[in-house]
Amino acid sequence: SGVEALGNMIAEASSIVPFTGAGISTECGIPDFRSPGGLWTRNRPIAFDEFVSSLDARDESWRRRFAMEPTFAAARPGRGHRALASLYKAGKVPAIITQNIDNLHQMSGFKPDDVVELHGNTTYARCIGCGQAYDLAWVKARFEETGSAPDCTVCDDPVKTATISFGQAMPEDQMRRATELAQHCDLFLAIGSSLVVWPAAGFPLMAKNCGAKLVIINNEPTEQDDVADLVIRHDIGETLGPFVGN
Ligand code: OAD
Ligand code: ZN
């Protein structure tokens, strides 16, 4: 079966780089983007230039984030997160690349420095001008006080969740580290991503082109199934559950 083949590939590999998407966190109660019921089936994404130029878009973006707060606050690592953390503890995984913004890899035991977040993190906020970090609680209190999204107390630019929106520049340091990881592993695991958002979706192909074996674990077909060495079209928690250690 797929799980047995995966187990053999994991046993043979010395440097495994996982690359995760929203599908690994659905069992933790966080909806993905493109499945039925996914976030982009309910709300149109707010692009970065809209956030910058429109006060209404900015307020709407923060209202959406506050509405998600109970979901993010209650989420705990699932079987997928825990299995990857076990491989990390065992020294098989040097670091993880993620498109996720939910902080669950850190919560499962990865050191923050070993989580390469391509799309940022939604558990705190940043000024888009000077980069000053803010607690979400501070943003929420200001929003409730004034009825609108707050600006930076240092430079007056808008404060946004520390995530990357469509049209926003990718974080350079994280892109560089993801490139190094993809180029120097012998097994690359693409888990729970539709692999349609670029440049993130370039990393599985990059790893494959640099000689790594590529495994795709996702319950729907992806754009890159045809180049993978192994495709496991099955539930992530069930597939990775057997790799959760003690
Ligand atoms: P998507 O929603 O595009 O894809 C998630 C995939 O996970 C889907 O193909 C699902 O079928 C699959 N899936 C969900 N739950 C699963 C489970 N329990 N077992 C197996 N498969 C499961 O999410 P991403 O690929 O992560 O970016 O989306 C990429 C980017 O698009 C996100 O980082 C975000 C979004 O716009 C930005 O906001 C910049
Ligand atoms: Zn600022």
Side-chain angles (χ1 to χ4, degrees):
S1 77
V3 176
E4 198 181 312
L6 176 63
N8 291 335
M9 289 167 92
I10 287 174
E12 281 164 20
S14 55
S15 177
I16 305 171
V17 171
F19 167 91
T20 57
I24 197 171
S25 298
T26 53
E27 79 168 9
C28 314
I30 301 173
D32 66 10
F33 296 94
R34 294 173 183 82
S35 291
L39 283 181
W40 297 157
T41 69
R42 289 185 268 161
N43 279 321
R44 187 182 59 82
I46 296 170
F48 186 63
D49 62 344
E50 279 180 88
F51 184 93
V52 173
S53 61
S54 155
L55 276 173
D56 283 347
R58 209 175 301 165
D59 289 350
E60 169 63 12
S61 160
W62 275 110
R63 273 192 295 267
R64 285 185 193 174
R65 179 61 187 85
F66 298 145
M68 287 293 290
E69 185 52 21
T71 299
F72 283 116
R76 294 293 172 271
R79 288 169 293 178
H81 301 97
R82 281 153 50 213
L84 298 176
S86 298
L87 294 172
Y88 171 69
K89 267 193 225 148
K92 284 252 185 193
V93 165
I96 185 165
I97 308 170
T98 188
Q99 301 170 86
N100 297 344
I101 57 176
D102 55 27
N103 216 48
L104 290 178
H105 291 302
Q106 290 90 331
M107 218 186 278
S108 73
F110 277 85
K111 283 190 215 145
D113 276 352
D114 292 331
V115 183
V116 178
E117 292 178 317
L118 296 175
H119 294 162
N121 189 305
T122 194
T123 63
Y124 63 100
R126 269 194 198 286
C127 166
I128 63 170
C130 72
Q132 173 71 40
Y134 291 92
D135 286 340
L136 295 186
W138 178 87
V139 177
K140 188 148 196 263
R142 292 293 87 71
F143 196 103
E144 280 168 358
E145 215 174 278
T146 65
S148 189
D151 292 326
C152 179
T153 58
V154 181
C155 77
D156 251 14
D157 270 358
V159 173
K160 186 180 162 294
T161 57
T163 54
I164 305 296
S165 302
F166 287 112
Q168 189 172 3
M170 293 295 284
E172 271 175 41
D173 187 51
Q174 311 278 314
M175 286 297 286
R176 188 181 48 72
R177 291 178 62 208
T179 301
E180 276 165 21
L181 287 164
Q183 289 176 339
H184 296 108
C185 62
D186 51 18
L187 179 59
F188 192 93
L189 307 176
I191 302 166
S193 177
S194 57
L195 301 178
V196 297
V197 173
W198 291 72
F203 289 110
L205 291 171
M206 184 187 290
K208 177 71 187 161
N209 289 336
C210 290
K213 291 210 162 121
L214 174 61
V215 177
I216 295 179
I217 308 172
N218 203 64
N219 61 15
E220 282 173 359
T222 80
E223 308 257 314
Q224 298 178 26
D225 289 358
D226 53 341
V227 302
D229 296 278
L230 174 66
V231 175
I232 302 182
R233 202 165 289 162
H234 192 63
D235 181 73
I236 293 160
E238 281 180 30
T239 304
L240 294 181
F243 301 98
V244 176
N246 303 305

